[in-house]
Amino acid sequence: AQSVTQPDIHITVSEGASLELRCNYSYGATPYLFWYVQSPGQGLQLLLKYFSGDTLVQGIKGFEAEFKRSQSSFNLRKPSVHWSDAAEYFCAVGALQAAGNKLTFGGGTRVLVKP
Amino acid sequence: GAVVSQHPSWVICKSGTSVKIECRSLDFQATTMFWYRQFPKQSLMLMATSNEGSKATYEQGVEKDKFLINHASLTLSTLTVTSAHPEDSSFYICSASSGRGAFFGQGTRLTVV
């Protein structure tokens, strides 16, 4: 069975500092990996995804993530956070099937940004 | 592109009544949509897979008679919470897939009083 672990429940970072969110997955086949961001009371916005190819993936809002198969990881990074980056971040793994993306989510990491 | 609209964004209903939530893919067709439930400060749990023109596939532990799913067209899936009770209060989110990935609606906050 597939699973996703986000070890950090909360992370507090100063505005302008770098951010890294950890994600480890367990999946029996080639994983398709996603990062989503959720603001309070809102749906999920796709930040980036990895299907194949270059293991360093660029996303929106200045985020990037690196797929490391040997470590079963897909960590999200941003060089310099903005106050607007305060939100909940979810890592997800799934299979890109003809029927669509059925995703399994990690528990989420809440990011707080200090002025 | 790849916009998913969910309606309503919030609803309050009385215990024992039914509530319908709509999920629409606005600029693409989705043969499959997914319904998730999210409890406060928790992650998303997949409830069911909605298949256009056929019955939904429910995850283990999800009551199919309580959470009715209809996927009548390639752009619309509905979730009906029947005979709602306070424990059904939650945040419900749908997603639809295009070739570029899974895209989510803005969610529906259901409060049953």
Side-chain angles (χ1 to χ4, degrees):
Chain A
Q2 58 201 51
S3 66
V4 180
T5 302
Q6 293 180 243
D8 304 304
I9 298 175
H10 293 99
I11 286 183
T12 300
V13 61
S14 297
E15 191 169 14
S18 63
L19 174 69
E20 181 168 14
L21 304 183
R22 295 183 290 166
C23 172
N24 294 98
Y25 67 89
S26 174
Y27 196 70
T30 300
Y32 294 100
L33 296 157
F34 306 82
W35 273 101
Y36 289 89
V37 60
Q38 184 181 37
S39 297
Q42 299 294 313
L44 275 70
Q45 182 180 24
L46 179 65
L47 286 176
L48 47 78
K49 61 185 182 290
Y50 172 77
F51 285 173
S52 65
D54 193 346
T55 56
L56 184 62
V57 180
Q58 302 296 320
I60 63 171
K61 303 185 178 185
F63 285 94
E64 67 177 25
E66 186 171 13
F67 170 59
K68 293 185 177 180
R69 184 185 299 275
S70 61
Q71 299 177 19
S72 297
S73 70
F74 188 56
N75 295 347
L76 181 72
R77 297 192 293 257
K78 184 169 183 176
S80 176
V81 299
H82 187 262
W83 65 266
S84 59
D85 294 323
E88 186 93 21
Y89 292 80
F90 292 97
C91 179
V93 65
L96 182 58
Q97 307 162 344
N101 301 120
K102 179 178 178 179
L103 301 180
T104 298
F105 285 85
T109 299
R110 181 168 298 278
V111 173
L112 303 175
V113 180
K114 296 189 301 183
Chain B
V3 177
V4 177
S5 175
Q6 193 172 333
H7 178 80
S9 55
W10 62 269
V11 58
I12 301 173
C13 71
K14 290 185 177 181
S15 187
T17 62
S18 295
V19 174
K20 179 184 285 187
I21 303 170
E22 293 186 348
C23 180
R24 294 180 185 272
S25 56
L26 297 185
D27 51 2
F28 65 101
Q29 294 182 331
T31 55
T32 302
M33 294 184 179
F34 301 93
W35 287 95
Y36 295 84
R37 183 174 181 176
Q38 185 180 31
F39 291 102
K41 299 185 179 181
Q42 294 189 26
S43 188
L44 284 75
M45 300 299 295
L46 180 65
M47 298 174 65
T49 302
S50 172
N51 304 299
E52 187 268 335
S54 64
K55 292 183 178 180
T57 305
Y58 290 82
E59 297 298 302
Q60 190 173 7
V62 178
E63 299 175 60
K64 61 181 181 180
D65 294 330
K66 175 134 188 91
F67 299 99
L68 299 180
I69 292 173
N70 182 275
H71 195 151
S73 76
L74 289 172
T75 59
L76 174 64
S77 175
T78 60
L79 168 68
T80 301
V81 183
T82 64
S83 187
H85 288 94
E87 57 264 30
D88 299 324
S89 299
S90 192
F91 194 60
Y92 295 86
I93 308 178
C94 70
S95 79
S97 292
S98 73
R100 292 170 287 157
F103 297 88
F104 287 78
Q106 64 268 46
T108 298
R109 169 77 56 197
L110 171 62
T111 302
V112 184
V113 297

